Amino acid sequence: MTTRLAIVVPCYNEEEVLPETNRRLLALLTRMQSAGLVSSDSAVHYVDDGSRDRTWALIEELAAADGRVHGIKLSRNRGHQAALLSGLLTVEGDALVSIDADLQDDVNVIETMVQKFAEGAEVVYGVRDSRATDTPFKRNTALAYYGLMRKMGVDLVHNHADFRLMGRRAIEALREYGEVNMFLRGIVPLIGYRAATVKYDRAERFAGVSKYPLRKMLTFALEGVTSFSVVPLRLITLLGFLVSVFSFFMILFVIYGTLVMKAVVPGWASSVVPIYFLGGIQLLAMGVIGEYVAKIYLETKQRPRYFIEKTV
Ligand code: UDP
Ligand code: MG
């Protein structure tokens, strides 16, 4: 029995790249279908994440032109992760591949992914060989971030974004995660099953601009930390401990100064400095705790993650 492949592509204002993306994906499907690698009902599913340009109209046109093209239109913009999730949890298929619309990921790698799936891997991660085409800023911040996450005990696949294949079993496992704010690349390794990786060179965005400005990148990074790690909370405890020790020695110093040295402590520095110091640390600590409280607040509401307006 050949694999029924479904390719899920989240699209937010991607009218400039979509025709080319579709051309390449369909060419790939045709090639794989005639090689007997995937079944004839394999398909490409575009998820329109509330685009404000002609993206949805284009998806409708592409779907009308080829029976293997389908579209899911979300009710509004919900972000990359939610868009991806809506596709993964909705479409049919034995193996689901998620890939960005902008052609930064090499579509031909999908063929290798399907081969690895046929060989028994339930999850196949696309891993960037080089980040030569990313800006040095993006490259370095990403590198630092992966390192930081690892130190905090979060199991991320290095240099892997959301280009991956997931088998039906992994998808059904993913469905069990009820988190409203999904950080997919953190969740998927938690699912387990046999995994494999495929390396590829990441290209430049084919057209259009990045939909991840710095602000969104920071939110996304923070999301990853607070969703998966309580290390920042522990660091606060450690910090509190260290400050207490420091204060203890300061008390000793003051006693020594008054009793032995008989020096009149001017008093200003020793009372004002700790006030500022502790004030700062307390605010910082409250901020970190606040991040987690905010997370609890957002998650307990159990708000729906997306609404599908229509499909083609
Ligand atoms: N995307 C989305 N919703 C958003 C932002 C982005 O569906 O709110 C899609 C976008 O169309 C693309 C993918 O997510 O297919 C990755 O976005 P982008 O390439 O802009 O991010 P970058 O590669 O710059 O990190
Ligand atoms: Mg991109």
Side-chain angles (χ1 to χ4, degrees):
M1 223 183 71
T2 47
T3 309
R4 181 176 181 187
L5 174 72
I7 303 175
V8 177
V9 191
C11 310
Y12 178 55
N13 296 342
E14 298 286 11
E15 61 179 9
E16 282 161 274
V17 280
L18 214 49
E20 179 62 22
T21 307
N22 190 61
R23 221 180 341 267
R24 293 199 199 171
L25 286 176
L26 285 185
L28 174 83
L29 261 193
T30 307
R31 203 173 70 223
M32 291 171 73
Q33 280 168 335
S34 46
L37 256 173
V38 299
S39 71
S40 56
D41 53 359
S42 295
V44 183
H45 301 262
Y46 296 104
V47 181
D48 175 27
D49 186 19
S51 299
R52 279 184 296 259
D53 63 359
R54 284 195 68 250
T55 299
W56 178 250
L58 256 175
I59 293 172
E60 282 182 325
E61 282 167 26
L62 298 173
D66 194 306
R68 294 171 298 175
V69 177
H70 300 277
I72 297 170
K73 182 173 162 55
L74 297 190
S75 61
R76 54 160 296 175
N77 180 248
R78 297 305 312 259
H80 180 208
Q81 300 288 294
L84 200 52
L85 193 68
S86 73
L88 293 177
L89 298 186
T90 314
V91 310
E92 291 175 12
D94 307 319
L96 272 53
V97 169
S98 52
I99 184 169
D100 288 351
D102 59 5
L103 294 172
Q104 281 191 285
D105 309 313
D106 183 1
V107 299
N108 297 311
V109 165
I110 294 175
E111 196 167 337
T112 323
M113 287 181 166
V114 172
Q115 266 156 12
K116 299 230 169 181
F117 173 71
E119 286 162 18
E122 188 63 25
V123 182
V124 186
Y125 298 100
V127 174
R128 291 166 225 181
D129 229 354
S130 78
R131 278 176 163 262
T133 54
D134 277 343
T135 61
F137 176 73
K138 190 147 187 161
R139 195 163 56 229
N140 288 320
T141 47
L143 207 65
Y145 182 65
Y146 280 109
L148 183 74
M149 289 295 269
R150 186 147 300 226
K151 283 215 181 66
M152 292 195 301
V154 186
D155 187 15
L156 288 182
V157 178
H158 198 65
N159 266 344
H160 159 72
D162 284 306
F163 182 29
R164 75 176 82 80
L165 178 147
M166 293 175 78
R168 188 37 67 192
R169 279 207 293 178
I171 293 288
E172 292 311 314
L174 182 67
R175 206 185 292 283
E176 303 288 314
Y177 287 84
E179 285 160 82
V180 179
N181 294 288
M182 271 280 189
F183 187 69
L184 281 167
R185 60 192 87 158
I187 296 276
V188 177
L190 291 181
I191 293 175
Y193 295 126
R194 191 166 359 147
T197 55
V198 183
K199 288 216 168 125
Y200 68 99
D201 280 323
R202 191 155 160 99
E204 211 123 11
R205 205 175 215 289
F206 182 75
V209 292
S210 171
K211 272 69 188 184
Y212 266 102
L214 184 62
R215 189 175 50 81
K216 266 198 198 173
M217 248 169 76
L218 285 176
T219 318
F220 187 60
L222 196 64
E223 190 75 52
V225 174
T226 56
S227 291
F228 287 93
S229 175
V230 291
V231 169
L233 291 174
R234 303 226 169 98
L235 285 181
I236 292 177
T237 318
L238 183 69
L239 195 66
F241 177 72
L242 290 180
V243 171
S244 309
V245 170
F246 174 75
S247 315
F248 178 71
F249 280 108
M250 204 149 155
I251 291 167
L252 288 186
F253 171 73
V254 171
I255 293 173
Y256 180 76
T258 356
L259 297 184
V260 182
M261 306 286 287
K262 302 268 189 254
V264 181
V265 180
W268 188 86
S270 59
S271 43
V272 170
V273 171
I275 289 174
Y276 283 102
F277 182 59
L278 288 178
I281 285 187
Q282 281 170 353
L283 283 180
L284 181 78
M286 271 164 59
V288 177
I289 296 170
E291 275 301 323
Y292 284 89
V293 175
K295 180 114 264 174
I296 297 167
Y297 166 70
L298 289 173
E299 289 294 333
T300 49
K301 285 192 286 196
Q302 290 286 315
R303 284 191 175 161
R305 298 181 279 201
Y306 53 82
F307 293 113
I308 293 174
E309 189 175 316
K310 53 184 162 185
T311 56
V312 290

